[in-house]
């Protein structure tokens, strides 16, 4: 399939995609702050510059875009039809970097949570994801991963959005 815009326009569009302060990240930050959690943003002192650093809980949170970080089994993790070799190499490098950063943080004693973009698309999902994250922060587990399946399961089952497992 041929791209519908020229190469210069596509390059400008791709360059405009933000890496910080994305809509999903802002939604999660607002919801966590409203629940009384305080955090640092993109701290240079922590390996990998996580989106949120909660020193009190010795925890970091990454808000990953499903497309760029390749959320397995997610409908948003599509692969462009053009220049597929370029995209496969780019995605593989992103996934390898994410894995390396996660391992280094765990080795340093940090607890690591990954919240996928698909889990933060709707307000009710943001609420459920934030509740699950809040539970995890005060619990003992080393890692947490939340995607659309985990964030919308409670809503589909008809549970109160404020409740969690």
């Amino acid at each position: 399939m041929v791209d519908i815009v020229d190469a210069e326009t596509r390059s400008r569009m791709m360059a405009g995609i933000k890496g910080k302060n994305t809509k999903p990240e802002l939604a999660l930050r607002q919801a966590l702050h409203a629940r009384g959690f305080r955090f640092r943003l993109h701290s240079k002192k922590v390996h990998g510059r996580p989106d949120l650093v909660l020193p009190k809980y010795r925890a970091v949170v990454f808000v990953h875009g499903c497309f760029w970080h390749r959320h397995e089994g997610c409908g948003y993790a599509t692969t462009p039809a053009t220049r597929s070799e370029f995209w496969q190499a780019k995605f593989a490098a992103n996934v390898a970097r994410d894995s390396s950063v996660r391992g280094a943080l765990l080795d340093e004693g940090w607890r690591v949570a990954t919240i996928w973009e698909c889990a933060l698309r709707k307000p009710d999902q943001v609420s459920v994801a934030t509740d699950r994250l809040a539970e995890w922060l005060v619990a003992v587990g080393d890692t947490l991963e939340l995607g659309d399946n985990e964030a919308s399961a409670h809503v589909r089952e008809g549970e109160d959005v404020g409740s969690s497992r």
Side-chain angles (χ1 to χ4, degrees):
M1 181 174 176
V2 178
D3 201 351
I4 60 173
V5 296
D6 60 86
E8 184 179 317
T9 303
R10 175 65 60 204
S11 179
R12 188 171 10 91
M13 289 167 62
M14 296 305 282
I17 296 173
K18 299 187 300 184
K20 293 181 186 175
N21 303 320
T22 61
K23 286 181 183 180
E25 184 183 330
L26 292 173
L28 182 65
R29 283 172 19 192
Q30 181 181 12
L32 266 181
H33 193 272
R35 285 169 176 76
F37 290 94
R38 300 300 178 254
F39 42 82
R40 299 280 178 253
L41 302 176
H42 314 289
S43 176
K44 295 178 184 178
K45 296 177 182 179
V46 180
H47 187 75
R49 295 185 69 169
D51 297 313
L52 304 174
V53 179
L54 295 101
K56 178 179 179 179
Y57 303 96
R58 191 79 177 142
V60 298
V61 179
F62 290 98
V63 179
H64 280 340
C66 298
F67 176 79
W68 295 105
H69 296 271
R70 310 314 293 165
H71 185 197
E72 199 171 315
C74 180
Y76 298 109
T78 60
T79 302
T82 58
R83 300 181 62 209
S84 60
E85 288 179 17
F86 164 81
W87 286 108
Q88 292 301 332
K90 177 147 187 73
F91 295 147
N94 287 352
V95 170
R97 184 188 64 239
D98 292 343
S99 178
S100 172
V101 166
R102 182 185 186 98
L105 288 167
L106 289 169
D107 289 345
E108 293 171 10
W110 288 96
R111 300 167 59 217
V112 181
T114 302
I115 312 298
W116 292 97
E117 164 193 20
C118 60
L120 302 170
R121 288 194 166 263
K122 298 176 184 171
D124 54 349
Q125 289 177 309
V126 171
S127 180
V128 171
T130 306
D131 288 344
R132 298 275 312 274
L133 179 59
E135 278 181 4
W136 175 79
L137 285 170
V138 297
V140 184
D142 284 344
T143 62
L144 173 72
E145 187 167 338
L146 288 177
D148 181 36
N149 293 337
E150 296 84 8
S152 58
H154 293 287
V155 176
R156 282 195 295 262
E157 292 170 5
E159 291 184 20
D160 178 23
V161 174
S163 70
S164 46
R165 289 188 226 184

